[in-house]
């Protein structure tokens, strides 16, 4: 592989005009496709194999024309202090608003609060339910404007009016902190390279890669039903890995220049060595993201595949466009150790003076690695205990999916949620829909009544509506209002209790009872994700473990990498629980409402963090293995790996943390949580696991770390990530200007 990438790097360097033209053309094509694509339609959230989804599908079949997946809105009214919603003036205002709402072309139905029992017991709060023919993402702007105008007219009449539901669903905003994250990345690159040109290359290629990836997702959003969160996730991961991959190749290029090689040769060798590490690091990320398909939740699968595609683009750009841009930059990208006149003063850690014996002064990475190999056991214990302490909050992890109650208090959806809780109880925001399929029953009406009575007798039930049968009389719906909020454990227990009671009813009457609704779907998603976590972990870690055996030609090094990952991801989950569930530093993170952690967070973090963790493992440990293969003793190889790789890995980790942290400012609670979780996970993995635990374990293992059974060594393909083939060819006399190696 190293030889192939070497040839690719040199080819891109020489044919830089052609390479640049290809990528610019692809960016233009993707941009045109995104601009001309129809707006994204309904990103349906289906969860195959669950009871909630089965009931939802049954509703669409037995109650045709009711737009089960159509948008909904709850217009909530509150009377001024000292007044009631039943007062003549307030009642007239509400009825006028209802009439205006019913005139919309996309409106399926509107319920009047005074005829639909939608006035609170104290008479201060009422609501009107609006059902639309299309989903929230498909609603025309004129329909949304009509909804808001009707609410504003009621406000002008003196009422407090807020709108809940998904009819006003908006594309999440990431906020200015995303730009700050990119700015931090730029500063880190300038300090690392001491050159604006060298620092600009990773940023430029990463932005081009993300532009192609996100534009492609936008172009395909309508056809593939991709949600807005999909493009944000692809941008988050693509930007982070794009900068990092380019950073490693540019750093290796400068190191090759420092050894006296010509620029084309240096570009080829950088692509052959660091580029090989980029390929395998990218493969681990792609495996982790595509592996999300095992959960069998289409939305999650699409998010993973889209993000994986953006990562693949980042790898290809790093291998081709970076060598091409290095050709354009020429002598403006200086060898490692060479400083610019002004920017060079910003750099820290490079040798400025020599030791008394004439040796170059050790940089910070070398001094740290030397300390670790002298005190490996103490460093190992300190790192493990520290991560273990950070992981403690994860033992009280509660899972759920965000609803309007997790929205910022500045939104009308959140204020409507609070008003409904105030007037009708916390469970009113998460009603359960019980579907009774009596097609196999001899007495459907008796079955409907039996289900209603059994549910009323359960604990935690505030209200149960009468059965509402379909035209055929073989299926009915019953709405159940819990006495607890949708994301609570008590509501989850009630769902399970209804389902347990349904088993007895089916045995008695032959009617099947199913529970659905957004709350039940959230519960089923959480359970499905929990059930899929272990198989997913085995699949992703197993495939990556095999991949790392091929890369490092060792058993213990990949095993250590996987165990270190588990430590970092558990610690990161603990931090997420502490902030988003317990409320620690919630104000600093912009978390206005604490509650259960998003259901997909654990499995998502396992996938993404594992891929990113292996990035640092590959980049750092391949340098160590390269030194070991070239004859250094195990402990010295660890120090050498840190001498060449620690500075760059540190910069890469800081950049990735900055990019992920930039998404904490998002208005979407899911994006905010993902941004924080990935940022803190990178911190734990890069600075505790890879920078402390990994060298400590390698120092303790010594030569055993690189042990591989002879039969396995013969069976494994030689991918030559260390570039040994390039070194061997050079020792045979292939000079930097010769083409012999390119022809091999």
């Amino acid at each position: 592989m190293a030889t192939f990438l070497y040839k690719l790097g040199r080819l891109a360097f020489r044919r830089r005009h052609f390479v640049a033209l290809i990528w610019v053309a692809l960016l233009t094509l993707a941009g045109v496709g995104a601009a001309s694509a129809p707006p994204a339609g309904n990103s349906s959230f289906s969860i195959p194999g669950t009871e909630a989804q089965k009931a939802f599908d049954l509703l669409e079949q037995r109650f045709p024309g009711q737009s089960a997946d159509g948008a909904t809105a709850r217009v909530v009214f509150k009377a001024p202090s000292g007044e009631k919603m039943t007062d003549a003036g307030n009642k007239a205002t509400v009825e006028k608003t209802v009439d205006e709402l019913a005139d919309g072309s996309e409106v399926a139905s509107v319920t009047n609060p005074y005829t639909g029992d939608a006035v609170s017991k104290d008479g201060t709060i009422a609501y009107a339910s609006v059902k639309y023919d299309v989903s929230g993402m498909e609603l025309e702007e004129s329909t949304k404007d009509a909804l808001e105008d009707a609410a504003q007219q009621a406000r002008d009449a003196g009422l407090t009016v807020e709108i809940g539901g998904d009819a006003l669903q908006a594309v999440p905003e990431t906020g200015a902190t995303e730009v700050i994250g990119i700015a931090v990345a730029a500063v880190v690159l300038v300090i690392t390279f001491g050159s604006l040109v060298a620092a600009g290359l990773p940023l430029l290629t990463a932005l081009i890669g993300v532009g192609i990836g996100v534009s492609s997702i936008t172009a395909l959003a309508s056809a593939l039903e991709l949600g807005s969160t999909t493009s944000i996730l692809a941008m988050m991961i693509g930007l982070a890995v794009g900068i990092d991959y380019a950073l490693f190749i540019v750093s290796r290029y400068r190191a090759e220049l420092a050894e006296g090689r010509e620029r084309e040769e240096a570009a080829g060798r950088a692509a052959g060595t660091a580029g090989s590490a980029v390929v395998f690091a990218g493969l681990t990320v792609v495996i982790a993201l595509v592996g999300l398909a095992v959960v069998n939740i289409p939305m999650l699968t699409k998010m993973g595949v889209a993000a994986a595609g953006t990562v693949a683009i980042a790898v290809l750009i790093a291998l081709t466009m970076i060598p091409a841009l290095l050709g354009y930059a020429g002598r403006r990208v200086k060898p490692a150790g060479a400083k610019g006149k002004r920017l060079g003063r910003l750099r820290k850690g490079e040798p400025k003076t020599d030791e008394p014996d004439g040796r170059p002064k050790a940089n910070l990475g070398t001094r740290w690695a030397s300390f670790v190999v002298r005190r490996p056991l103490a460093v190992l214990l300190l790192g493990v205990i520290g991560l273990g302490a950070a992981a403690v909050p994860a033992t009280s992890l509660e899972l759920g999916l965000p609803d309007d109650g997790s929205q910022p208090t500045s939104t009308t959806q959140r204020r409507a949620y609070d008003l409904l809780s105030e007037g009708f109880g916390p469970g009113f925001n998460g009603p359960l829909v019980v579907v009774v399929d009596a097609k196999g029953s001899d007495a459907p009406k008796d079955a409907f009544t039996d289900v209603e009575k059994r549910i009323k007798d359960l604990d935690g039930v505030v209200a149960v509506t009468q059965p509402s049968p379909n035209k055929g009389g073989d299926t009915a719906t019953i709405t159940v209002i819990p006495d607890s909020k949708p994301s609570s454990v008590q509501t989850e227990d009630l769902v399970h209790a209804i389902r347990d009671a349904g088993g007895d009813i089916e045995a008695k009457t032959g009617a099947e009872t199913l529970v659905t609704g957004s709350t039940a779907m959230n519960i089923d998603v959480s359970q499905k994700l929990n059930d899929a976590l272990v198989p997913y972990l085995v699949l992703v870690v197993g495939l990556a473990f095999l991949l790392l055996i091929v890369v490092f030609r060792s058993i213990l090094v990949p095993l250590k990498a996987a165990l270190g990952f588990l430590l970092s991801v558990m610690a990161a989950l603990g931090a997420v629980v502490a902030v988003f569930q317990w409320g620690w530093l919630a104000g600093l993170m912009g978390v206005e409402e604490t509650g259960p952690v998003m259901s997909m967070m654990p499995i998502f973090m396992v996938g993404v963090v594992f891929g990113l963790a292996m990035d640092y493992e590959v980049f750092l440990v391949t340098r160590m293995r390269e030194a070991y293969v070239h004859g250094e003793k195990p402990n010295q190889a660890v120090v050498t790996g840190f001498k060449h790789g620690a500075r760059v890995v540190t910069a890469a980790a800081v950049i990735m943390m900055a990019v992920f942290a930039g998404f904490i400012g998002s208005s979407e609670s899911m994006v905010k949580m993902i941004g924080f979780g990935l940022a803190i996970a990178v911190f734990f993995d890069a600075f505790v696991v890879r920078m402390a635990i990994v060298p400590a374990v390698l120092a303790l293992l010594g030569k055993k770390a690189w042990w591989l059974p002879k039969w396995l060594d013969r069976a494994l393909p030689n991918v030559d990530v260390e570039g040994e083939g390039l070194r061997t060819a050079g020792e045979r006399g292939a000079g930097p200007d010769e083409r012999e190696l390119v022809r091999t």
Side-chain angles (χ1 to χ4, degrees):
M1 173 175 286
T3 303
F4 169 76
L5 294 178
Y6 169 87
K7 290 189 274 187
L8 180 63
R10 293 193 67 163
L11 180 64
F13 188 95
R14 291 196 305 272
R15 307 294 185 188
R16 45 188 172 272
H17 302 306
F18 181 69
V19 171
L21 182 63
I22 288 177
W23 285 112
V24 171
L26 288 174
L27 178 61
T28 303
L29 184 63
V32 171
S36 59
N42 179 26
S43 54
S44 57
F45 185 78
S46 61
I47 41 177
T50 61
E51 180 175 313
Q53 185 64 44
K54 181 180 178 181
F56 185 82
D57 295 339
L58 185 65
L59 284 175
E60 288 194 322
Q61 177 186 346
R62 303 284 176 86
F63 292 82
Q66 291 196 6
S67 302
D69 59 346
T72 59
R74 274 180 172 174
V75 184
V76 187
F77 307 89
K78 183 175 182 179
S81 178
E83 298 182 17
K84 302 285 187 181
M85 289 305 304
T86 51
D87 293 346
N90 294 335
K91 184 176 181 180
T93 299
V94 171
E95 290 181 335
K96 180 181 178 182
T97 302
V98 170
D99 291 340
E100 291 178 354
L101 291 172
D103 289 338
S105 59
E106 295 180 309
V107 175
S109 63
V110 181
T111 59
N112 188 314
Y114 303 101
T115 59
D117 193 23
V119 180
S120 62
K121 290 181 179 180
D122 62 5
T124 60
I125 297 175
Y127 70 91
S129 295
V130 186
K131 183 74 174 177
Y132 294 92
D133 292 323
V134 296
S135 69
M137 296 299 291
E138 294 173 311
L139 281 177
E140 295 181 0
E141 287 301 318
S142 59
T143 301
K144 296 181 180 181
D145 292 341
L147 176 60
E148 293 177 323
D149 290 344
Q152 187 58 48
Q153 290 180 22
R155 292 190 188 102
D156 295 340
L159 298 178
T160 299
V161 186
E162 304 296 346
I163 305 172
D166 60 352
L168 295 182
Q169 181 180 354
V171 176
E173 299 175 356
T174 53
T177 50
E178 177 190 347
V179 179
I180 295 174
I182 297 176
V184 171
V187 171
V188 172
L189 287 170
V190 170
I191 295 176
T192 302
F193 290 138
S195 164
L196 284 174
V197 175
L201 297 183
L203 280 176
L204 177 61
T205 55
L207 290 174
I208 291 174
V210 168
I212 294 173
V214 173
S215 296
S216 300
I217 291 171
T218 304
L220 298 172
S222 178
L224 301 182
E225 296 186 350
L226 303 178
S228 57
T229 307
T230 303
S231 59
I232 293 179
L233 174 65
M235 181 190 302
M236 183 190 304
I237 296 177
L239 193 60
V241 300
I243 294 175
D244 278 8
Y245 294 165
L247 166 65
F248 283 108
I249 292 180
V250 173
S251 298
R252 188 58 184 253
Y253 171 77
R254 296 176 70 239
E256 295 293 337
L257 289 179
E259 294 184 11
R261 292 187 172 88
E262 294 295 330
R263 293 186 178 275
E264 183 180 328
E265 177 72 9
R269 286 180 177 265
T273 52
S276 297
V278 165
V279 169
F280 281 99
L283 272 176
T284 59
V285 180
V286 169
I287 288 172
L289 290 170
V290 174
L292 291 170
V294 303
V295 183
N296 196 26
I297 295 180
M299 184 191 75
L300 195 59
T301 300
K302 293 173 184 177
M303 289 172 64
V305 172
T310 307
V311 172
I313 293 172
V315 171
L316 292 174
I317 282 188
L319 294 175
T320 57
M321 195 167 185
I322 282 293
L325 293 178
L326 289 172
Y328 283 118
R331 297 186 179 279
R332 282 170 290 186
V333 177
K334 295 177 171 57
K339 299 176 172 54
K341 293 181 179 179
R342 290 182 296 174
L343 295 174
R345 292 195 297 270
L346 296 173
R347 300 184 61 192
K348 305 293 182 182
E350 288 288 342
K352 297 181 180 180
T353 60
D354 290 340
E355 299 287 2
D357 59 2
R359 292 181 294 107
K361 185 176 181 180
N363 61 21
L364 183 60
T366 303
R367 294 197 295 271
W368 168 250
S370 299
F371 169 78
V372 172
V373 297
R374 288 197 305 269
R375 301 284 188 273
L377 188 58
V379 172
L380 176 61
L381 291 176
L382 185 62
V384 171
I385 291 173
L387 291 178
V392 168
T395 57
S396 62
L397 175 68
E398 295 179 7
L399 298 176
L401 285 177
D403 53 21
D404 284 347
S406 61
Q407 296 275 1
T409 52
S410 58
T411 63
T412 187
Q413 291 92 336
R414 170 61 186 278
R415 292 195 292 264
Y417 180 97
D418 292 339
L419 284 177
L420 289 172
S421 296
E422 176 187 340
F424 301 92
F428 195 79
N429 283 292
L432 306 176
V433 179
V434 179
V435 182
V436 185
D437 180 7
K439 201 167 188 177
S441 175
D442 296 331
K445 291 184 178 180
D446 293 341
F448 299 155
T449 304
D450 195 5
V451 172
E452 179 189 357
K453 291 180 180 178
R454 292 290 296 273
I455 294 175
K456 284 182 177 179
D457 293 337
L458 296 175
D459 295 333
V461 175
V462 170
V464 180
T465 64
Q466 292 183 348
S468 177
N470 64 346
K471 291 182 179 180
D474 58 1
T475 308
T477 60
I478 301 172
T479 302
V480 181
I481 307 298
D483 66 0
S484 51
K485 64 181 183 179
S487 58
S488 67
V489 176
Q490 292 83 355
T491 301
E492 182 177 351
D493 292 340
L494 176 60
V495 170
H496 293 312
I498 295 174
R499 288 173 173 172
D500 291 341
D504 297 336
I505 294 171
E506 184 174 9
K508 177 182 176 182
T509 66
E512 184 179 11
T513 303
L514 306 170
V515 185
T516 188
S518 59
T519 301
M521 280 195 171
N522 290 350
I523 292 170
D524 286 352
V525 168
S526 298
Q527 187 60 50
K528 192 175 183 68
L529 289 165
N530 286 339
D531 294 343
L533 183 58
V534 173
Y536 174 71
L537 195 61
V538 171
L539 173 68
V540 172
V541 176
L543 289 175
F545 181 77
L546 296 176
L547 187 65
L548 291 178
I549 289 178
V550 174
V551 174
F552 296 126
R553 309 195 76 78
S554 164
I555 298 294
L556 296 180
V557 170
L559 180 61
K560 168 223 20 119
L563 294 176
F565 149 74
L566 291 175
L567 279 174
S568 59
V569 78
M570 288 303 298
L573 274 177
V576 169
V577 170
V579 173
F580 291 89
Q581 186 175 312
W582 291 359
W584 294 4
L585 302 177
L588 182 64
M589 298 296 166
V591 180
E592 297 186 11
E593 184 74 17
T594 59
V597 172
M598 183 179 61
S599 298
M600 64 180 67
M601 195 66 187
I603 198 165
F604 186 79
M605 283 190 65
V606 165
V608 177
V609 175
F610 183 78
L612 300 179
M614 294 306 102
D615 280 1
Y616 301 119
E617 181 76 13
V618 170
F619 290 133
L620 192 60
V621 180
T622 48
R623 273 290 198 170
M624 298 178 188
R625 174 165 173 77
E626 185 177 343
Y628 178 75
V629 168
H630 294 161
E632 293 188 10
K633 294 182 178 179
N635 281 7
Q636 183 57 41
V638 171
V639 176
T640 300
F642 265 77
K643 175 184 176 182
H644 294 292
R647 179 188 184 85
V648 181
V649 168
T650 299
V654 172
I655 289 170
M656 196 170 282
M657 287 168 56
V659 172
F660 287 147
F663 289 85
I664 295 176
S666 172
S667 61
E668 177 68 38
S669 58
M670 182 172 74
V671 175
K672 181 190 294 288
M673 189 179 294
I674 290 174
F676 171 80
L678 294 182
I680 197 70
V682 168
F683 171 78
F684 286 142
D685 196 85
F687 293 106
V688 181
V689 175
R690 309 303 153 191
M691 291 289 186
I693 293 178
V694 165
V697 171
L698 290 177
L700 289 171
L701 292 175
K703 291 184 178 180
K704 296 177 182 178
W706 308 108
W707 171 80
L708 186 69
K710 291 183 179 179
W711 63 268
L712 185 57
D713 187 37
R714 291 191 298 269
L716 291 177
N718 183 15
V719 295
D720 191 21
V721 176
E722 303 85 10
E724 181 65 17
L726 304 182
R727 177 185 176 95
T728 303
E731 291 173 348
R732 289 198 304 265
D737 293 324
E738 295 178 27
R739 300 291 185 264
E740 177 186 349
L741 187 58
V742 180
R743 293 194 298 269
T744 59

